[in-house]
Amino acid sequence: MENAWKTEIPEFRPEDNPHGLLEESSFATLFPKYRETYLKECWPLVQNSLSKFHIKADLDLLEGSMTVRTTRKTWDPASILKARDLIKLLSRSVPYEHAVRVMEDDMAADIIKIGSMVRNRDKFVKRRQRLIGPGGCTLKSIELLTNCYVLVQGQTVAALGPFKGLQQVRRIVTDTMKNVHPIYNIKALMIKRELERNPKLKNENWDRFLPNFKPKNVPKKKSTKKAKKPYTPFPPAPAESKIDKLLESGEYFLKEDEKQKRKKKLKEDKQKEAKIKREAKRNMAFIPPVE
């Protein structure tokens, strides 16, 4: 098989399973409070779309749950799984017009949980915003390249589209949460789309055309936390004033001319020490090496 993605799947019809299903299957999912009004409005449409497959749908507003179940007339075994994906998408704020497309044969849904991928809350918010992009342009480009409908809501990413596109969306989302900018994957998808049109490069390796991302180890900022001193109930000793220091050294009781003489003597002593060091440094060049 050359390309499994392009193989046509034959349509499943009621004539293929005239006896229906033997057992009843059901799936339920909870939805948040803010979705209650919207679901109440669009629920007749949901029931109408599922009635074509003889699947019953129930909305429980007290419990806050949606349930789908098969009947004796249900002829498509996969339709209950599609209906399960439909109510999951509706609970994740996907509009009915997009969510109902999951009932088609060549469509599938994927809900990616991104809340546990990043521990730091600030980093999570920044990376999620990076996935959306300024004005939603990054998300729109992902949708155009993968032929999928993508919705970022809270701590999940809901995707709806063909199977190949869903794989690409999942890879982009997981890489973004691992601090790989989505522009790298978007650029790779654009290059692959151009290479697919070239019949000469059909059977060649495309790695040399794709962008290579190299992660950089950015040095972390050193923490400026000071070490805690041991607790003591006594207050710290007051800092010594200039007069205290003069009293301690004895300079306070000296006369002005004596102070000047003392300063001059200290200065001369420092100059002598510096002179001795300079001469020693000069004489180093004249010392013969040890044989």
Side-chain angles (χ1 to χ4, degrees):
M1 192 180 287
E2 287 186 10
N3 193 351
W5 296 112
K6 290 183 179 179
T7 53
E8 290 186 7
I9 301 167
E11 190 180 348
F12 194 78
R13 296 178 181 179
E15 298 84 40
D16 298 326
N17 187 16
H19 303 293
L21 304 177
L22 295 172
E23 294 289 334
E24 182 186 299
S25 301
S26 65
F27 292 99
T29 186
L30 300 171
F31 60 86
K33 186 76 175 173
Y34 61 85
R35 292 290 289 167
E36 190 177 304
T37 310
Y38 179 80
L39 290 171
K40 203 190 293 184
E41 290 173 1
C42 72
W43 198 249
L45 297 169
V46 175
Q47 288 177 322
N48 187 33
S49 60
L50 293 176
S51 64
K52 297 172 187 175
F53 301 92
H54 299 285
I55 291 172
K56 283 192 175 181
D58 298 320
L59 178 67
D60 191 346
L61 295 173
L62 291 172
E63 195 181 331
S65 66
M66 294 179 282
T67 311
V68 288
R69 64 176 187 276
T70 57
T71 59
R72 294 287 292 175
K73 291 183 180 179
T74 307
W75 48 270
D76 188 0
S79 61
I80 186 64
L81 300 174
K82 297 271 188 181
R84 177 200 62 186
D85 291 340
L86 171 62
I87 59 172
K88 275 188 178 179
L89 290 170
L90 288 170
S91 68
R92 295 314 306 154
S93 300
V94 177
Y96 166 77
E97 293 77 17
H98 292 287
V100 76
R101 288 166 54 208
V102 81
M103 299 304 293
E104 297 171 17
D105 283 340
D106 57 342
M107 285 286 177
D110 190 11
I111 293 172
I112 307 153
K113 294 178 181 178
I114 57 173
S116 59
M117 290 184 183
V118 185
R119 288 185 181 180
N120 191 307
R121 180 70 185 168
D122 295 335
K123 283 183 180 179
F124 169 75
V125 172
K126 283 179 183 177
R127 289 175 192 180
R128 186 181 61 182
Q129 187 57 39
R130 194 183 290 170
L131 187 66
I132 297 165
C137 64
T138 307
L139 203 65
K140 191 68 181 174
S141 59
I142 292 167
E143 288 179 350
L144 290 169
L145 289 166
T146 59
N147 297 321
C148 293
Y149 172 78
V150 186
L151 178 73
V152 180
Q153 174 72 16
Q155 296 190 354
T156 58
V157 177
L160 171 72
F163 295 99
K164 188 180 180 181
L166 290 176
Q167 285 185 341
Q168 292 168 344
V169 170
R170 181 170 272 273
R171 187 168 64 248
I172 291 168
V173 171
T174 50
D175 284 353
T176 305
M177 288 295 125
K178 290 176 182 175
N179 204 21
V180 178
H181 203 281
I183 195 66
Y184 290 100
N185 286 307
I186 289 167
K187 194 175 180 182
L189 287 173
M190 289 172 71
I191 293 165
K192 282 177 183 177
R193 180 176 276 192
E194 291 297 322
L195 292 169
E196 280 173 2
R197 295 174 186 171
N198 194 341
K200 293 178 182 178
L201 300 167
K202 189 179 179 181
N203 299 318
E204 287 189 24
N205 189 8
W206 293 348
D207 287 346
R208 66 180 188 273
F209 300 109
L210 301 176
N212 188 19
F213 174 72
K214 292 179 181 178
K216 294 179 181 178
N217 291 326
V218 181
K220 291 182 180 179
K221 290 182 179 178
K222 292 180 180 178
S223 60
T224 55
K225 288 183 180 178
K226 293 180 180 179
K228 285 187 177 181
K229 294 178 180 179
Y231 173 74
T232 174
F234 305 106
E240 286 186 348
S241 63
K242 202 171 183 181
I243 296 167
D244 291 336
K245 288 176 182 177
L246 292 170
L247 285 167
E248 193 177 342
S249 62
E251 286 184 49
Y252 186 80
F253 304 103
L254 295 175
K255 292 178 182 178
E256 194 62 38
D257 56 339
E258 289 177 344
K259 285 180 184 178
Q260 292 293 335
K261 284 179 183 177
R262 188 170 183 177
K263 279 183 183 178
K264 196 175 180 181
K265 192 182 179 184
L266 288 169
K267 195 175 180 180
E268 287 174 358
D269 290 342
K270 280 183 182 179
Q271 286 176 351
K272 282 179 184 178
E273 284 178 13
K275 191 177 179 182
I276 292 163
K277 284 179 183 178
R278 281 199 303 273
E279 286 178 357
K281 198 174 180 181
R282 284 174 191 164
N283 295 331
M284 285 286 286
F286 300 104
I287 298 170
V290 180
E291 293 180 2

